[in-house]
């Protein structure tokens, strides 16, 4: 079963904060567990988030605003709410509900981004109940919740989910599922857990509240809990993205014979939508990325909250460089990447592509293309190509820097962008993958070493390098260079080398650039400020 979606998992999610692993996933995880615990009119009274001291959340959760996103998700806030960043301060003071973070050894610590979420709620009749959830953020905004009050489950937010407990539910599981999947609402799966007398029903959307209430009031039903999908619902779980050869075969079957067309076909199947509707979503995502870049250029210095960097994107864009150095396309693309990263680091609304730490490469590349002869349709084709290249990476590996270092963030995003540039200038499907291969072979073993845990240094510089890398790789391939090594093999090696890297080199701010004397002095200085 494969749930990777191009719009959800590769050029998404849309989020706030500098890290998709540490911001987007926490927001969605918190929102999901709140919906489950408060599904029947309960009121959230207290929430405790627990990280293991050996994990990646513990040293970075403040610098990367994980706490802000957990708090906002638990409050049921929307990403567009103007007071989004103020929620943490309020709930830490007990306004609405009490919120706390604890760093303590977790019983299950099999992933660097493991987290326990304990929610205390008041029921409508005044009773108190505590629910304990376990889960992990697994990169690129993807996550899972794999336990609730000792019961094993596996929720990824890729579908709307209804849980029904009781002997009657187990006995009539299929009939219950058919009752819930009414009208155009697709039934995506039914799972029965006899040991806990529980039925899990996955749907494209949550059914009418009256239907859920009627089921809860039946004899033999102990409880009903539900949560909506946190992203576009996944309607097909076929293995669509594991091999580049299979992707190229899909491209060859299409009339235009491009990776962009293959992306449209496969994502439409994944989301259960028409190609026209799917194309509209890609176009919206492309426009959003370009808007993020524009907002970054318009940012005011007084609004900058970065701890180490000042706003430089507009300066880079408008600089009068020596003739023959780089060229205007590359200069605009580099500036666009910086602009998106400055929005990212200032907690503006951005799109992880595929992660927040690499959220500048793809938008910057699109900005460079748009500024120099590629229209919005061509840019959307490029984005679809980028997404599909990234999906093959995700299917074989991970976007979590905590597992693979920066090679799975800016390395992966550069590979995606290189393929998109190749597509934009008429490259074949094979050339798109060759350009992506060049980027991966040059970023094997790239460490993730954010100074002070902030996604600023060297992250912004690496996004600039990622754009440059993408354009140079596309140019080389279109000029006749042969990458030789297959993309799939390089993804596999990226994962293998990531597993061999010391933990201090994987997003813990304890090695690499973060451990230089200058970096340590900078961190000490900002930590001493009131």
């Amino acid at each position: 079963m494969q749930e990777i979606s191009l719009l959800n998992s590769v050029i998404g999610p849309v989020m706030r904060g500098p890290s998709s692993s540490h911001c987007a996933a926490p927001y969605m995880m918190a929102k999901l567990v709140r919906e489950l615990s408060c599904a029947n009119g309960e009121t959230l009274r207290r929430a405790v988030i627990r990280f293991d001291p050996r994990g990646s959340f513990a040293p970075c959760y403040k610098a990367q605003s994980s706490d802000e996103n957990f708090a906002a998700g638990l409050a049921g806030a929307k990403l567009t709410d103007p007071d989004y960043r103020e929620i943490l301060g309020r709930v830490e003071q007990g306004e609405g509900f009490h919120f706390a973070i604890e760093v303590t050894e977790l019983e299950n610590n099999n992933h660097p981004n493991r987290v326990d979420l304990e929610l205390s709620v008041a029921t409508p009749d005044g009773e108190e109940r505590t629910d304990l959830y376990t889960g992990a953020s697994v990169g690129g905004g993807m996550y899972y919740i794999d336990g609730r009050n000792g019961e094993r489950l596996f929720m990824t937010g890729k579908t709307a989910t209804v849980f029904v407990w009781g002997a009657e539910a187990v006995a009539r599981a299929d009939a219950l599922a058919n009752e819930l999947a009414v009208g155009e609402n697709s039934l995506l799966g039914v799972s029965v857990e006899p040991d806990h007398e529980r039925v899990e029903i996955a749907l494209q959307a949550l059914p009418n509240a009256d239907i859920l209430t009627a089921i809860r009031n039946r004899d033999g039903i102990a409880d009903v809990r539900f949560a909506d999908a946190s992203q576009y619902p996944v309607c097909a779980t076929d293995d669509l993205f594991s091999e580049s050869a299979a992707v190229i075969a899909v491209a060859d079957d299409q009339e235009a014979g491009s990776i962009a067309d293959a992306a449209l076909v496969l994502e439409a199947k994944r989301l259960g939508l028409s190609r026209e509707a799917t194309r509209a979503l890609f176009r919206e995502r492309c426009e959003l990325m370009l808007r993020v870049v524009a907002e970054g250029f318009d940012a005011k210095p007084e609004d900058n909250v970065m701890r180490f960097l000042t706003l430089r994107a507009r300066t880079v864009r408008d600089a009068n460089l020596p003739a023959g150095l780089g060229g205007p396309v590359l200069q605009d693309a580099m500036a666009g990447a910086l602009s998106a990263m400055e929005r990212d680091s200032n907690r503006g609304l951005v799109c992880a592509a595929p992660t927040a730490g690499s959220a500048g490469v793809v938008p910057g590349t699109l900005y460079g293309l748009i500024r120099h002869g590629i229209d919005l349709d061509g840019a959307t084709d490029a984005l679809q190509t980028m997404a599909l290249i990234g999906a093959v990476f995700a299917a074989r590996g991970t976007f979590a820097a905590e597992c693979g270092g920066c090679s799975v963030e800016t390395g992966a995003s550069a590979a995606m962008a290189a393929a998109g540039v190749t597509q934009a200038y008429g490259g074949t499907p094979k050339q798109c993958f060759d350009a992506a291969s060049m980027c991966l072979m040059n970023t094997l073993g790239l460490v993730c070493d954010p100074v002070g845990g902030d996604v600023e240094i060297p992250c912004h510089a690496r996004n600039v390098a990622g754009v440059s890398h993408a354009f140079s790789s596309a140019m080389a391939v279109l000029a006749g260079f042969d990458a030789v090594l297959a993309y799939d093999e390089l993804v596999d090696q990226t994962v293998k080398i990531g597993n061999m890297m010391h933990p201090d080199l994987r997003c813990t701010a304890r090695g690499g650039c973060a451990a230089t004397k200058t970096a340590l002095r900078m961190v000490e200085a900002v930590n001493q400020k009131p």
Side-chain angles (χ1 to χ4, degrees):
M1 185 176 74
Q2 189 183 82
E3 294 186 336
I4 296 166
S5 153
L6 306 186
L7 288 156
N8 287 340
S9 316
V10 186
I11 53 166
V14 176
M15 54 166 288
R16 281 181 179 267
S19 167
S20 44
S21 295
H22 289 174
C23 300
Y27 169 74
M28 290 187 284
M29 294 169 79
K31 195 168 183 291
L32 184 150
V33 299
R34 177 186 184 275
E35 287 184 34
L36 283 178
S37 285
C38 299
N40 300 319
E42 293 92 340
T43 302
L44 180 62
R45 295 299 191 199
R46 186 169 187 267
V48 180
I49 308 299
R50 297 190 177 96
F51 307 136
D52 195 284
R54 295 163 295 176
S56 294
F57 273 119
C60 298
Y61 75 87
K62 284 187 177 294
Q64 297 190 4
S65 70
S66 306
D67 47 1
E68 287 185 6
N69 282 277
F70 275 115
L74 288 164
K78 296 179 180 179
L79 287 166
T80 53
D81 286 353
D83 64 342
Y84 190 94
R85 297 203 64 207
E86 299 168 11
I87 293 171
L88 174 64
R90 294 202 297 260
V91 298
E92 284 182 329
Q93 299 300 316
E95 183 179 328
F97 60 93
H98 290 273
F99 176 84
I101 285 181
E102 296 178 358
V103 177
T104 184
E105 288 198 9
L106 303 184
E107 183 176 343
N108 186 344
N109 189 37
N110 61 357
H111 191 283
N113 286 336
R114 264 284 174 184
V115 59
D116 286 0
L117 305 95
E118 184 181 286
L119 275 59
S120 298
V121 300
T123 64
D125 57 9
E127 295 183 1
E128 296 284 334
R129 188 186 75 243
T130 297
D131 294 330
L132 178 62
Y133 297 90
T134 60
S137 164
V138 294
M142 293 180 281
Y143 68 92
Y144 57 77
I145 300 293
D146 62 354
R148 177 183 182 270
N149 297 337
E151 294 186 23
R152 291 179 59 84
L153 43 86
F154 193 78
M155 301 181 71
T156 62
K158 299 291 176 32
T159 67
T161 306
V162 178
F163 290 101
V164 187
W165 283 267
E168 178 71 5
V170 172
R172 301 184 62 250
D174 290 337
L176 274 176
N178 290 329
E179 284 185 56
L180 294 172
V182 295
E184 297 181 357
N185 193 3
S186 298
L187 176 62
L188 304 178
V190 181
S191 175
V192 179
E193 182 57 61
D195 290 347
H196 297 293
E197 289 193 335
R198 186 189 77 216
V199 175
E200 178 182 350
I201 301 166
L203 301 156
Q204 193 170 17
L206 286 178
N208 185 286
D210 292 339
I211 297 174
L212 294 167
T213 300
I215 291 174
R216 186 170 60 249
N217 291 335
R218 290 178 187 169
D219 291 338
I221 300 297
D223 197 9
V224 176
R225 305 223 154 259
F226 45 88
D228 210 346
S230 54
Q231 296 178 295
Y232 297 118
V234 169
C235 296
T237 56
D238 311 48
D239 185 345
L240 303 180
F241 305 123
S242 291
E243 297 182 355
S244 57
V247 168
I248 291 175
V250 174
D252 290 342
D253 284 343
Q254 307 309 308
E255 185 176 338
S258 73
I259 295 294
D261 294 320
L264 199 58
V265 169
L266 295 172
E267 184 70 350
K269 180 177 182 180
R270 180 68 90 213
L271 300 183
L273 300 174
S274 68
R275 295 188 193 183
E276 293 75 17
T278 307
R279 174 68 173 186
L281 294 176
F282 275 113
R283 188 183 179 101
E284 288 175 8
R285 193 59 55 87
C286 185
E287 291 174 330
L288 170 66
M289 290 184 175
L290 293 170
R291 187 164 67 249
V292 167
V293 171
E295 290 172 353
F297 286 133
D298 290 339
K300 297 179 176 61
E302 57 266 28
D303 296 329
N304 181 40
V305 298
M306 292 187 289
R307 294 205 298 168
F308 305 113
L309 297 177
T310 57
L311 302 177
R312 293 293 181 184
R314 191 163 55 228
T315 301
V316 171
R317 183 194 63 185
D318 298 339
N320 186 17
L321 294 174
L325 179 62
V329 178
L330 183 55
Q331 183 176 349
D332 279 337
M334 290 164 51
L338 272 178
S339 182
M341 286 303 294
E342 287 171 359
R343 290 299 294 156
D344 184 23
S345 293
N346 279 296
R347 281 46 172 178
L349 198 66
V350 296
C351 176
T355 69
S358 60
V361 177
V362 167
T365 300
L366 293 174
Y367 178 74
L369 294 175
I370 283 283
R371 291 264 287 183
H372 297 278
I374 303 299
D375 62 14
L376 185 58
D377 281 333
T380 303
D381 285 342
L383 181 60
Q384 289 171 197
T385 300
M386 297 174 187
L388 191 47
I389 297 298
V392 176
F393 193 103
R396 306 181 74 90
T398 175
F399 292 137
E402 300 82 5
C403 298
C406 202
S407 54
V408 304
E409 293 206 34
T410 55
S413 61
M416 291 162 55
V421 174
T422 305
Q423 158 75 34
Y425 291 108
T428 66
K430 182 181 182 304
Q431 286 177 316
C432 291
F433 273 103
D434 276 354
S437 292
M438 279 192 66
C439 288
L440 291 190
M441 69 175 69
N442 294 334
T443 55
L444 289 173
L446 183 60
V447 305
C448 180
D449 47 354
V451 172
D454 294 76
V455 183
E456 297 179 31
I457 304 171
C459 314
H460 288 216
R462 290 212 180 122
N463 276 258
V464 170
V467 165
S468 307
H469 199 181
F471 275 91
S472 62
S473 296
M475 289 168 62
V477 167
L478 289 170
F481 183 80
D482 186 353
V484 181
L485 301 181
Y487 181 75
D488 297 6
E489 294 179 14
L490 288 164
V491 174
D492 294 345
Q493 286 301 309
T494 298
V495 174
K496 182 177 180 180
I497 291 170
N499 290 333
M500 295 167 64
M501 291 167 62
H502 191 279
D504 283 359
L505 304 179
R506 296 182 298 186
C507 200
T508 56
R510 293 193 292 257
C513 291
T516 61
K517 292 180 180 179
T518 298
L520 295 173
R521 284 198 300 268
M522 292 169 62
V523 172
E524 183 179 6
V526 298
N527 286 341
Q528 289 177 350
K529 290 182 179 179

